[in-house]
């Protein structure tokens, strides 16, 4: 099997996950934010030091549109793959 086909398959799976996750994700997850609220209810109201580009995988004034979430997830996946490829390219060329 060609490694190019493996990369295409992995990227296709990532895109499928990006498309489906906004529709399958819970509206009230019990993750990091819930843990922070349990420890300190005022923790999430603190002033942010850095303003996120895509907070909660949405864009400003478009929080209720799941297609915006899909787009943000796809952009995030592409950026992650590009960064990983760049790091692996630099590391592999040093040898």
């Amino acid at each position: 099997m060609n490694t190019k086909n493996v990369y295409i398959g992995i990227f296709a799976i990532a895109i499928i996950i990006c498309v489906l996750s906004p529709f399958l994700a819970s509206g009230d997850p019990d993750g990091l934010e819930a843990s922070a609220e349990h420890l300190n209810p005022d923790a999430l109201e603190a002033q942010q030091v850095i303003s996120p580009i895509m907070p909660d995988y949405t864009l400003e004034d478009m929080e209720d549109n799941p297609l915006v979430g899909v787009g943000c997830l796809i952009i995030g996946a592409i950026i992650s793959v590009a960064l990983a490829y760049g790091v692996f390219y630099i590391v592999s060329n040093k040898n």
Side-chain angles (χ1 to χ4, degrees):
M1 187 177 207
N2 189 358
T3 56
K4 182 179 178 182
N5 291 339
V6 172
Y7 293 140
I8 291 171
I10 291 170
F11 190 69
I13 290 170
I15 296 298
I16 290 170
I17 291 170
C18 290
V19 170
L20 293 177
S21 63
F23 303 104
L24 299 176
S26 171
D28 189 27
D30 57 357
L32 183 60
E33 289 182 11
S35 298
E37 286 179 356
H38 290 303
L39 291 174
N40 183 1
D42 298 326
L44 299 178
E45 303 301 324
Q47 182 71 13
Q48 292 182 341
V49 177
I50 298 173
S51 179
I53 297 170
M54 295 183 287
D56 294 329
Y57 297 103
T58 61
L59 298 175
E60 190 174 342
D61 298 328
M62 296 185 183
E63 289 86 7
D64 295 331
N65 188 348
L67 295 179
V68 173
V70 169
C72 290
L73 286 166
I74 290 173
I75 291 169
I78 291 170
I79 291 170
S80 298
V81 168
L83 287 173
Y85 180 80
V87 168
F88 290 133
Y89 181 79
I90 290 169
V91 169
S92 66
N93 282 340
K94 285 190 176 186
N95 293 332

